[in-house]
Amino acid sequence: MHGIIAYPITPFTADGSGVDAAALTALVDQLVNTGAHAIAPTGSTGESAYLTEDEFDTVIDVTVGAVAGRVPVIVGASDLTTANTVRRARYAQAAGADALMILPVSYWKLTEREIIAHYAAVAAAVDLPIMVYNNPATSGIDMSPELLVRMFNEIDNVTMVKESTGDLMRMRRIKELSGGELPFYNGSNPLVLDALTEGATGWCTAAPNLRPQPCLDLYDAVRAGDVDRARRIYDDLAPLLRFIVAGGLPTTVKAGLELLGSNVGDPRAPLLPLDASGRAELRAMLAGV
């Protein structure tokens, strides 16, 4: 799995009571048609933490159906407990997903022993490859490069890492410790140019919901070794990347989609819709898109 891994939002119905399957189908289809190399539902952008289990299952079924085998589907299966993470992982496998992305979520700070046991339990329950997702900003748990490489070596299904700390040295350390054998994916939007230049296998991002072509062009320029073109594309895209991260991905991306003509509903409380000043700033960034 490589390239632009696009993270769709989860559209909700007008009253916010459930998933808008038709809107999600249209959004996923658009992401695939505009060139995304993989689709990753139920990540942070998809508000997975705020979905009921029935809604989670609906998002997976709709996404897999909409993709229809055209590109890989990487399902975010994270949950507070190991038992429900396993349930989500098994459901994703049965639905036809190609891989799992798992973030260690916990009220209590987990020890390394507990983190390893969590991933090992999920890996034993399914046959799908697992992308270990390191994002201490959302999970409160920071996995060191040493731990990530250890799990890659000890747990068969652990085959890749999404590194979202925004620390380029961690990516270099992962590459060094694994002898280049452990693929790492960039999950920090503002870091994307440096990460791809450093050898990231792909870019996990919500940006293609709003500006798909520059994301693809940036990836292609780096792959082609065209540094000057890659820098120009990045400089054009960077204000949007910084804005959607700072404002919260579900909030900003849903507002952007609405500004572009797609009604996907509001984010789910406690998240709030983007405020008037934020919408004005985002409207200016999307002018001409």
Side-chain angles (χ1 to χ4, degrees):
M1 299 181 190
H2 70 282
I4 303 301
I5 301 175
Y7 283 62
I9 53 88
T10 297
F12 295 119
T13 55
D15 62 0
S17 63
V19 175
D20 186 335
L24 179 57
T25 296
L27 177 59
V28 170
D29 192 56
Q30 180 178 352
L31 288 170
V32 175
N33 288 337
T34 52
H37 299 101
I39 301 295
T42 58
S44 304
T45 305
E47 298 179 73
S48 59
Y50 306 132
L51 300 177
T52 68
E53 292 309 294
D54 285 344
E55 289 171 340
F56 175 91
D57 295 350
T58 296
V59 171
I60 302 315
D61 289 337
V62 170
T63 302
V64 171
V67 170
R70 291 176 288 173
V71 296
V73 175
I74 307 171
V75 169
S78 310
D79 194 63
L80 188 64
T81 68
T82 298
N84 205 49
T85 304
V86 167
R87 189 212 74 82
R88 290 183 166 194
R90 283 175 169 161
Y91 191 92
Q93 177 170 281
D98 299 283
L100 302 170
M101 180 183 68
I102 296 176
L103 179 80
V105 182
S106 182
Y107 178 87
W108 297 104
K109 185 175 180 180
L110 301 179
T111 65
E112 287 197 359
R113 183 170 66 96
E114 289 165 333
I115 292 169
I116 292 169
H118 178 69
Y119 280 97
V122 179
V126 294
D127 299 320
L128 296 179
I130 294 172
M131 174 186 285
V132 177
Y133 180 15
N134 188 43
N135 190 353
T138 57
S139 71
I141 296 172
D142 190 1
M143 294 179 284
S144 68
E146 288 77 9
L147 175 59
L148 295 170
V149 173
R150 178 183 172 186
M151 289 195 292
F152 170 66
N153 289 329
E154 295 181 0
I155 303 173
D156 289 342
N157 300 41
V158 170
T159 62
M160 47 193 160
V161 168
K162 177 183 173 184
E163 174 55 60
S164 296
T165 59
D167 182 353
L168 191 65
M169 293 303 296
R170 289 169 177 261
M171 296 184 183
R172 292 173 178 160
R173 184 64 174 157
I174 289 168
K175 185 163 60 174
E176 175 189 352
L177 289 171
S178 69
E181 294 297 316
L182 174 55
F184 61 91
Y185 297 75
N186 175 59
S188 171
N189 283 297
L191 188 70
V192 58
L193 179 57
D194 290 338
L196 290 175
T197 303
E198 191 63 35
T201 302
W203 175 20
C204 303
T205 176
N209 288 282
L210 305 179
R211 295 195 65 192
Q213 196 58 52
C215 297
L216 296 164
D217 291 344
L218 175 58
Y219 176 73
D220 290 341
V222 174
R223 294 257 293 185
D226 192 339
V227 178
D228 290 341
R229 180 167 180 259
R231 172 57 65 180
R232 288 195 300 272
I233 296 168
Y234 174 78
D235 288 344
D236 174 63
L237 196 56
L240 177 66
L241 299 180
R242 290 191 289 266
F243 181 86
I244 62 176
V245 172
L249 294 172
T251 295
T252 54
V253 174
K254 284 190 169 183
L257 286 168
E258 183 183 349
L259 290 170
L260 293 174
S262 296
N263 184 11
V264 294
D266 291 333
R268 181 162 281 174
L271 301 180
L272 293 173
L274 192 62
D275 61 22
S277 62
R279 287 175 64 85
E281 186 176 353
L282 182 56
R283 182 182 289 107
M285 291 181 191
L286 297 177
V289 174

